Amino acid sequence: MTARQRVTARGAALFVVLASLAFATSGPVARYARPVHPLFIAFGRVALAAVALSLVDLRGLARSAAALSPRQRAAVLAAGLLLAAHFALFLWGLDRTSLAAALSLISLEPFAVVLCAWVFFRVRPTRAEQAGVLLATAGAALVARAAGTGDHRLSGDLMVIGATFLYGLYVSFARALRDALPARSYAALVYASAAVFLAAALPVAPGALEGVSPPPAHAVVAIVVLALVPTLVGHTAVQAAARRMSPAIVALVSPGETLGGIVIGALWLGAIPTITEVAGAAIILAGATVAILGSSRSAAQGAG
């Protein structure tokens, strides 16, 4: 192994650990923001993230945006709409089910990416990916069986599952913009677009603006943390890494988010998962591991 390969391996490991830790805070911190409406939380996190990224290089962002063709600008808006819907459904689902269930089901995101790549780009999943999807589906079904226990509700589970597939669409759709914008400018524009769509939805969503004039202090802190850590650090790092690391490496963040989030929720919020939820989460994570490792081996053989 060359020095460059060792550095790449260390960089990949560091990325997975740091991005997983950043994403792991998302569920517990969003739960802590109660009773603020999930849609307002989603709006706050992307709006603040967009502002923070824009301030880093406002002139560069303006130049990048001006260089886009009308079609590319429409694609940025569409990516922002998908990301807005993803955040809204995930946070709404998180509010309507148990923390462990939501964090377990969000591990289905890599499979959503595989499915969308197959449907829209005719990238056929490998046998390992197919086996992983079957395992993860069984785990999701087991998690759903725990609905009705404590604060675990099937309606929330379905919203989180919907959020995972919207994420798959978002990733597939964003491929067209990978070479059109620098990673930071792309993230800032997509976050800003998502914020605009969420702001438009706030007045028409029942109860979305209740209790936010002003919002509780703890909720403000939670939204700022969500903007800075899982959004600004987590999502932006994943978008940048996806341009230069293999999809298998990037996908490892999702299982890390589940494990870290469940541990943080249990230690900080006392959100102890049920035995059924733990078993379902373990099966989903096993499916994710099978699919990711199989995809990595397939890519290595293809490169060889």
Side-chain angles (χ1 to χ4, degrees):
M1 180 180 289
T2 67
R4 182 175 180 179
Q5 287 174 322
R6 285 195 296 270
V7 170
T8 300
R10 287 197 296 269
L14 183 62
F15 159 74
V16 170
V17 171
L18 293 181
S20 296
L21 289 174
F23 276 114
T25 63
S26 178
V29 173
R31 178 62 64 90
Y32 178 70
R34 284 173 167 177
V36 173
H37 195 280
L39 204 60
F40 187 85
I41 297 172
F43 163 73
R45 70 182 289 183
V46 291
L48 290 175
V51 170
L53 272 182
S54 299
L55 292 177
V56 172
D57 185 12
L58 191 56
R59 290 183 179 179
L61 177 62
R63 286 194 299 268
S64 297
L68 293 175
S69 66
R71 184 175 181 178
Q72 289 171 331
R73 290 173 187 170
V76 168
L77 289 174
L81 177 60
L82 288 171
L83 189 63
H86 162 74
F87 278 139
L89 269 184
F90 170 66
L91 292 171
W92 220 327
L94 173 67
D95 192 58
R96 294 194 175 189
T97 193
S98 70
L99 181 62
L103 293 174
S104 299
L105 294 171
I106 206 66
S107 280
L108 295 171
E109 282 181 348
F111 307 113
V113 173
V114 169
L115 179 61
C116 290
W118 184 25
V119 172
F120 296 106
F121 296 95
R122 302 302 179 190
V123 179
R124 185 177 179 82
T126 65
R127 288 184 179 180
E129 288 171 336
Q130 294 175 33
V133 168
L134 290 176
L135 263 178
T137 301
L142 184 58
V143 169
R145 285 191 62 186
T149 303
D151 56 358
H152 189 162
R153 297 291 179 271
L154 183 59
S155 61
D157 289 358
L158 294 176
M159 286 182 175
V160 175
I161 291 173
T164 66
F165 285 99
L166 283 172
Y167 182 78
L169 282 173
Y170 164 73
V171 171
S172 298
F173 199 90
R175 289 184 180 186
L177 295 168
R178 188 159 46 187
D179 299 323
L181 285 165
R184 190 168 57 199
S185 296
Y186 169 77
L189 291 173
V190 170
Y191 294 157
S193 301
V196 169
F197 287 115
L198 288 166
L202 284 174
V204 297
L209 294 175
E210 292 179 4
V212 296
S213 298
H218 77 277
V220 173
V221 172
I223 292 172
V224 171
V225 171
L226 285 170
L228 296 179
V229 182
T231 309
L232 198 59
V233 175
H235 275 273
T236 306
V238 165
Q239 290 170 12
R243 299 178 177 220
R244 55 189 179 85
M245 292 184 182
S246 72
I249 294 296
V250 177
L252 282 171
V253 172
S254 188
E257 174 185 4
T258 295
L259 290 173
I262 289 176
V263 171
I264 292 172
L267 295 178
W268 178 32
L269 303 176
I272 307 299
T274 66
I275 294 177
T276 303
E277 289 171 341
V278 170
I283 295 173
I284 292 174
L285 293 174
T289 302
V290 168
I292 291 166
L293 293 180
S295 176
S296 180
R297 290 193 190 100
S298 177
Q301 290 170 359

